[in-house]
Amino acid sequence: VVIPSEIRVDGHVYPVTSIEYRAFYGCYDMTNIEIPSSVTSIGDSAFRDCGGLTSINVSRDNSIYSSEDGILYDKNKTTLVLVPVGKKGSVVLLSGVTCIGDNACSGCRNLTSIEIPKSVTNIGNGAFRGCESLTSITIPNSITTIGDYAFSGCESLIIQCNPGSYAEKY
């Protein structure tokens, strides 16, 4: 799917600036999406239950969002916004990421491992909710906050904590 930067309606041109809440909900056959520079807002659950989605690509000119290896980040690549639900296997986050956003990996049923860099300090609410195939994860010492239900439904998960880490305390 390629989102246009503008649309024409009755002779008027309108910029496409947002992808609204659940805009692509349940689009199981969508495998990738191209987001133009004009999009400055992506609503919660915009790509929820898009089981075939493996790649999100953002225009380099976008002032709010960026992508790397098909994964959605904020422009500065310090916040993980979304791992596409259809990603399989292992994911390695960029070394400068400091925050894993709310629901960033939620529903990634075929994600088996994720490498969290030592730069991360915050894991958001529901960040890994429903990652049924996630088998292990190492929580680095840098983590200061783990949100509610961050690992809910991760039935196969074994969490390893570095000595002295936030997660080890709880």
Side-chain angles (χ1 to χ4, degrees), residues 141-156:
N141 292 344
S142 57
I143 299 293
T144 58
T145 306
I146 298 175
D148 294 336
Y149 306 104
F151 299 99
S152 174
C154 296
E155 299 156 0
S156 304

Side-chain angles (χ1 to χ4, degrees), residues 20-28 30 45-50:
E20 296 296 323
Y21 171 78
R22 292 189 173 189
F24 292 94
Y25 178 82
C27 291
Y28 304 106
M30 180 174 64
S45 302
F47 306 108
R48 185 172 180 171
D49 288 342
C50 295

